[in-house]
Amino acid sequence: MTDLSARGPLGLKAPRVPDDPAHLARIRALPCCICAEWGLPQLSPTQAHHCIHGRFSARRAPDCMAIPLCEGHHQGLLDGSKLALHQAPSRWRRLYGNDTDWISWAEDRLREREEQTI
């Protein structure tokens, strides 16, 4: 038998994770993870992309699941020279992998920057 004592009433969603604007600012300070790893020139500013691959909810992913993408690899509205995730998510996944796979890349870079400032 399953212990349901630690769960809320059935039918209620889990509480929303609070926004973390400081984390998003740190993500935006990083280079685009795709440009950096593929040796591509970053032609537009870095944006914080909330991961979408493997999600089955209309709710936006929490800020801790954001990765740094240049505008070209993210939306592709201003920089059309790159494959934009939101314009072709399946092609982007085939070429670069799941966007969630890049969370650890971003966390490693944030940790490296933090260690350099200490």
Side-chain angles (χ1 to χ4, degrees), residues 39-106:
L40 302 171
Q42 184 168 341
L43 306 174
S44 56
T46 300
Q47 299 176 343
H49 163 70
H50 291 83
C51 293
I52 59 172
H53 289 141
R55 296 191 64 251
F56 302 101
S57 169
R59 187 182 284 184
R60 186 189 76 184
D63 292 344
C64 64
M65 291 183 67
I67 61 171
L69 292 177
C70 66
E71 195 281 332
H73 281 118
H74 188 208
Q75 300 285 349
L77 301 174
L78 303 174
D79 178 6
S81 67
K82 313 246 172 76
L83 177 62
L85 174 60
H86 285 291
Q87 290 185 3
S90 297
R91 284 182 51 215
W92 198 96
R93 181 187 297 183
R94 281 194 304 274
L95 190 57
Y96 303 121
N98 287 331
D99 57 358
T100 52
D101 296 343
W102 293 95
I103 295 171
S104 60
W105 184 97

